[in-house]
Amino acid sequence: MQASRGNRRRRRAAHRLLICAAALVPLAAVQAAGDAAPGLFGFTAPEAGRQRALEQRFDGALNPGDLRGWLRQLSSAPNQVGSPHDKANAETVRDLFRQWGWQAQIEVFEVLYPTLKQHSLELVAPTHFSASLSEPPVAGDATSGAAGIMPPYNVYGADGDVTGELVYANYGMPRDYQDLARRGIDVRGKIVITRYGGGWRGLKPKLAQEHGAIGCLIYSDPREDGYAQGDVYPKGGWRPPEGVQRGSVLDITLYSGDPLTPGVGATRDAKRLAIADAKTILKIPVMPISYADAQPLLAALGGAVAPPRWRGALPLTYHIGPGPARVHLAISSDWSLKPIYDVIAKIPGRESPNEWVVRGNHRDGWVFGAWDPLSGHVAMLAEAQAIGALVKSGWRPQRTLVYASWDGEEPGLLGSTEWAETHAAELATKAVLYLNSDTNARGFLSVGGSHALQHLVNEVARAVKDPETGVSAQARLRARMLTEGYERGSADDEDAEEAHRETHLAAAGGDLPIRALGSGSDYTPFLQHLGVTALNIEYHGEDDQAGVYHSAYDSFDHYVRFGDPGFAYGVAEAQTVGRVVLRMADADVLPLQFADFAETIGAYTEQLRHAVDERRRKAAELAGLLDQNDFALATDPTRPVAPPVREAPVPALDFAPLDAAVTRLKASARAYDAAYAQLLAGTVQLDAARRARLNALLQGMEQKLTDARGLPGREWYRHFLYAPGMLTGYGVKTLPGVREAIDGYRWDEAAAYIPITAAVLARYCDAIDSATALLKGG
């Protein structure tokens, strides 16, 4: 153990030295070096000049005043699925696209979308309290008192009328239930109260249900989401006491979209499951509440005092229960089908109309949705208007542009999933990119997606100026990665390990890493179900918008104070996304680079090996503590806590197939990238037929990373590199067939999926090698 701690100390010291050495390079020098890079990736020198001129004209058509006006209009009334304003916004957006010269139409799908009819929550013992379950108007927020505001609820929780003892379960994650078990607390037949944070909201009632609870409450604790973070609205941007986070609890770890039509579009005549057979719908009632409503419930709990990491920021002693608090929870909903309205706009390509660059942002919100999602949506509208101006001036994209304003994202990625499933065959042969955004605000560039696009994204980020500092978006993001890495130091959990890898890459001075995508927005059906190359691009990090997430206070008035007051970052978002769209549309050969991808997969493979080693070390350490009776000796006899359950020994896993696949992948990537560089330098020429064959290969590259059998236990997810975790929800699991098995201590499954994942990578290598042969004249 001492040797292990010493190794960690040495890693931590080396990590800080690398960051400090990189920090000695002046930011201006990094910026100048990036700006001095010749050419544009994906374009020859003559083409690069024309492309830059096109992008300057694009920038000239962007006006922050337009974004402000669209945001005011689109967020002027409740905008959730089924509301009159939701449909009106769809028609407004369609008409704007047509005004700008796009071919635009509305595609309608019919989805199961339960809407609240009645709900109530009461503390019935040891005292009485009735929860308000509402959000009052706030001074200075013009829409907070508007008619038609949706009451707070969690869509796709079950109807129910239940009464039971209350148990506090912290975040309601697996470790929390282990802690309850160690204290002899069983939630069967009881109502669980959990706080937001620590994991995706839908996992909280799912795990409560699996542990036998009859209902679940989820509240926003001010430690994560209120006055402990900053001044509350309207003085500051953070959640006020009565603010409630609405949201979906649909189990999107199994599949996204309409729960009754998995795998097929929810058209009028689609075959549908019975509601009782839909695996993604919960079986217990779930209710979100404010911390004002939660406080009397938590104060009425007895039992053991909660451990330190369970304690929030409310002015009370956090007890676990069960009881003496008893609560009565009742919910009923209208479980009928509702229409959703996707706006689809196109500009046909002049040379390759059957190659599509698809761009999307959802339009529906929980109530007004000024930040989530309309801040991103109005940036997309600015792009569309600027592209329309280019078309009217005589330019046409080489490839077809498809812009999508999605409906129904908030309940479970409904609009994007149903459209993607309906058009799956077409997308499989035509889509070269799906580019998503969602929210946008003041702060730092944030990019996730397919790592073959990492170099393209970095080049674009060098070309876009950060509005607050005047340096490039890439330079400012690099500075943030380096300073955050220094402050973070070292840790051994999965997220910290990946963060340290990213910091090391930032310190090296080259391309910044992009994140792997899990779920939580509309890229999921494209990337993880269909295998379409995808990106998600946003700005954030300096705003206080999270404090009104999914509440009635996510309004225009809040956003123009605390989100992006001058809409400068909305323009930066449009500039960033617009450049990616234009370059993907006009590059003769799709601008993919595979060396970044190969190095990333190599790092993910090392993380698997490290995860197994860490579990083996921890299992051995736990066994030693149990054998020595250390837990019994250390526990307070007046507050007994049972020892953890002994873990089985961790077997050896044979990573040789994955190691061999990664070695080959790196070699194939280097060969392709070198040949592509020769093409851009003009030393290699492609005739039209070879270029078409090459682009067809590159268009389908991401699909080579999928397997029709899908991931274990959730066949809808087919991507073998990126998937949302079964116990993280939105959080990504990389190489998920193996990683999820390791995390679940399912060693036979992990051993089985190592060669399956290696075979997926081998198919990808075959495609890279074929592309290289075409570049070389084969």
Side-chain angles (χ1 to χ4, degrees):
M1 183 181 295
Q2 291 302 317
S4 176
R5 287 177 179 168
N7 287 338
R8 287 200 291 274
R9 282 195 296 268
R10 285 190 288 273
R11 287 200 305 270
R12 186 180 296 115
H15 176 73
R16 290 190 184 275
L17 282 171
L18 178 59
I19 293 170
C20 290
L24 295 175
V25 179
L27 185 61
V30 175
Q31 172 74 17
D35 290 345
L40 283 183
F41 184 61
F43 298 85
T44 63
E47 293 167 345
R50 291 191 293 271
Q51 186 67 20
R52 284 197 177 96
L54 179 75
E55 291 170 6
Q56 288 174 355
R57 291 164 56 201
F58 172 87
D59 288 352
L62 302 174
N63 181 353
D66 290 336
L67 280 73
R68 183 184 181 94
W70 296 325
L71 187 71
R72 183 188 291 276
Q73 178 182 3
L74 295 175
S75 65
S76 61
N79 185 37
Q80 67 272 4
V81 168
S83 67
H85 196 58
D86 178 49
K87 183 179 181 183
N89 278 350
E91 293 166 346
T92 296
V93 170
R94 176 201 59 197
D95 293 346
L96 285 172
F97 274 112
R98 288 177 175 174
Q99 176 184 323
W100 300 330
W102 295 68
Q103 301 171 5
Q105 62 180 2
I106 294 175
E107 291 195 38
V108 181
F109 297 97
E110 296 188 358
V111 297
L112 180 69
Y113 178 72
T115 52
L116 189 65
K117 291 164 55 178
Q118 178 276 334
H119 66 165
S120 62
L121 174 66
E122 296 176 287
L123 177 69
V124 296
T127 58
H128 186 271
F129 166 76
S130 293
S132 70
L133 307 181
S134 63
E135 295 174 307
V138 166
D141 190 310
T143 56
S144 63
I149 291 178
M150 169 194 291
Y153 82 116
N154 286 132
V155 67
Y156 298 114
D159 285 358
D161 189 327
V162 295
T163 301
E165 286 187 310
L166 192 65
V167 175
Y168 174 51
N170 192 29
Y171 295 121
M173 292 293 106
R175 180 184 171 185
D176 299 319
Y177 284 98
Q178 293 168 6
D179 287 347
L180 287 175
R182 292 179 64 189
R183 288 160 175 80
I185 298 173
D186 189 340
V187 303
R188 284 180 293 183
K190 300 176 177 65
I191 295 172
V192 167
I193 182 169
T194 71
R195 55 176 168 158
Y196 276 111
W200 174 59
R201 86 177 68 80
L203 292 172
K204 301 171 188 291
K206 178 182 179 180
L207 290 170
Q209 174 181 298
E210 290 175 354
H211 284 84
I214 58 174
C216 182
L217 304 174
I218 314 175
Y219 82 99
S220 301
D221 195 282
R223 180 169 299 282
E224 295 85 13
D225 195 8
Y227 52 74
Q229 297 294 322
D231 290 325
V232 302
Y233 195 50
K235 180 179 180 181
W238 288 92
R239 194 177 302 273
E242 298 84 3
V244 185
Q245 184 191 139
R246 297 156 179 79
S248 177
V249 293
L250 192 72
D251 191 358
I252 61 169
T253 66
L254 298 177
Y255 58 88
S256 69
D258 175 35
L260 304 186
T261 58
V264 297
T267 56
R268 183 182 296 274
D269 57 353
K271 184 178 180 180
R272 288 174 166 80
L273 300 173
I275 293 176
D277 296 331
K279 295 180 180 179
T280 55
I281 298 175
L282 291 175
K283 307 300 183 185
I284 64 172
V286 189
M287 182 180 291
I289 61 176
S290 66
Y291 57 87
D293 280 342
Q295 184 169 334
L297 308 183
L298 293 169
L301 280 170
V305 174
R309 71 178 187 86
W310 286 39
R311 300 169 194 169
L314 288 170
L316 54 84
T317 300
Y318 284 72
H319 289 265
I320 298 175
R326 289 177 59 83
V327 296
H328 173 219
L329 163 66
I331 302 174
S332 64
S333 300
D334 171 9
W335 288 81
S336 62
L337 299 182
K338 311 291 193 307
I340 56 173
Y341 306 96
D342 289 344
V343 181
I344 307 298
K346 295 182 181 180
I347 292 178
R350 69 180 189 274
E351 294 182 17
S352 303
N354 289 327
E355 295 176 6
W356 292 359
V357 178
V358 187
R359 163 79 171 106
N361 199 111
H362 77 99
R363 188 187 65 252
D364 68 298
W366 287 115
V367 197
F368 305 104
W371 171 57
D372 182 10
L374 294 172
S375 60
H377 193 278
V378 297
M380 183 180 74
L381 291 181
E383 300 158 31
Q385 183 183 43
I387 290 170
L390 293 177
V391 171
K392 289 178 180 179
S393 72
W395 171 83
R396 285 281 296 278
Q398 179 172 311
R399 297 179 176 87
T400 294
L401 302 182
V402 181
Y403 268 49
S405 170
W406 305 121
D407 200 359
E409 187 269 0
E410 295 294 2
L413 319 183
L414 305 184
S416 58
T417 300
E418 301 318 312
W419 189 83
E421 290 176 339
T422 299
H423 299 277
E426 219 174 0
L427 289 165
T429 59
K430 295 180 179 180
V432 302
L433 173 68
Y434 173 70
L435 200 161
N436 190 69
S437 59
D438 198 317
T439 62
N440 198 73
R442 196 170 61 87
F444 303 86
L445 177 63
S446 175
V447 184
S450 303
H451 284 85
L453 293 173
Q454 183 167 294
H455 184 64
L456 172 64
V457 167
N458 271 267
E459 192 168 77
V460 165
R462 287 198 299 270
V464 175
K465 183 177 293 187
D466 174 71
E468 291 179 327
T469 64
V471 302
S472 74
Q474 188 208 46
R476 190 167 192 227
L477 179 59
R478 187 186 305 278
R480 188 193 201 200
M481 286 183 170
L482 292 173
T483 54
E484 284 191 339
Y486 177 81
E487 298 290 347
R488 181 173 54 246
S490 180
D492 291 316
D493 61 84
E494 177 186 353
D495 291 340
E497 187 177 358
E498 178 61 13
H500 292 151
R501 184 186 75 86
E502 293 175 351
T503 304
H504 281 284
L505 291 173
D511 284 348
L512 298 177
I514 64 175
R515 296 174 294 104
L517 290 175
S519 189
S521 197
D522 291 304
Y523 49 78
T524 283
F526 295 93
L527 176 64
Q528 292 145 344
H529 181 57
L530 298 181
V532 174
T533 300
L535 288 172
N536 189 79
I537 299 179
E538 301 171 355
Y539 285 81
H540 59 76
E542 294 181 329
D543 56 284
D544 290 344
Q545 290 299 132
V548 294
Y549 176 62
H550 286 189
S551 78
Y553 308 126
D554 181 4
S555 63
F556 177 82
D557 288 327
H558 188 283
Y559 187 79
V560 297
R561 288 182 62 196
F562 303 108
D564 182 16
F567 291 84
Y569 280 91
V571 171
E573 167 77 355
Q575 291 173 329
T576 307
V577 172
R579 277 167 170 73
V580 176
V581 167
L582 294 174
R583 294 182 194 186
M584 288 294 290
D586 275 355
D588 282 344
V589 174
L590 291 168
L592 307 183
Q593 186 184 78
F594 296 108
D596 292 334
F597 171 87
E599 291 298 324
T600 301
I601 303 309
Y604 293 161
T605 301
E606 286 303 308
Q607 290 171 13
L608 295 179
R609 185 178 281 106
H610 177 71
V612 174
D613 291 343
E614 276 297 290
R615 279 154 181 74
R616 182 178 296 112
R617 181 189 65 78
K618 289 181 179 179
E621 182 180 8
L622 175 60
L625 294 171
L626 292 170
D627 291 343
Q628 294 164 184
N629 204 32
D630 286 333
F631 288 100
L633 295 174
T635 193
D636 181 344
T638 67
R639 302 180 182 90
V641 177
V645 176
R646 186 182 296 269
E647 296 175 1
V650 176
L653 292 180
D654 181 9
F655 286 101
L658 263 180
D659 292 337
V662 169
T663 298
R664 182 189 169 196
L665 177 62
K666 290 179 178 179
S668 296
R670 285 193 298 269
Y672 176 87
D673 290 351
Y676 188 51
Q678 290 182 319
L679 175 69
L680 298 182
T683 57
V684 170
Q685 301 294 323
L686 284 179
D687 59 33
R690 278 169 55 206
R691 184 172 66 246
R693 289 166 58 200
L694 177 58
N695 278 323
L697 258 178
L698 297 175
Q699 179 274 329
M701 285 300 299
E702 199 79 23
Q703 294 173 49
K704 302 296 190 296
L705 299 172
T706 67
D707 190 294
R709 294 170 290 183
L711 294 174
R714 44 180 183 155
E715 295 76 14
W716 188 88
Y717 285 96
R718 299 173 180 170
H719 206 293
F720 269 62
L721 266 62
Y722 321 116
M726 289 291 287
L727 291 174
T728 58
Y730 290 169
V732 66
K733 290 293 180 179
T734 54
L735 304 179
V738 183
R739 182 73 202 217
E740 291 266 272
I742 291 172
D743 290 347
Y745 296 85
R746 300 187 300 275
W747 303 114
D748 289 344
E749 183 179 303
Y753 272 84
I754 287 173
I756 292 173
T757 304
V760 168
L761 290 175
R763 292 197 297 271
Y764 194 78
C765 290
D766 291 342
I768 294 176
D769 294 344
S770 296
T772 305
L774 281 170
L775 281 170
K776 292 182 175 180

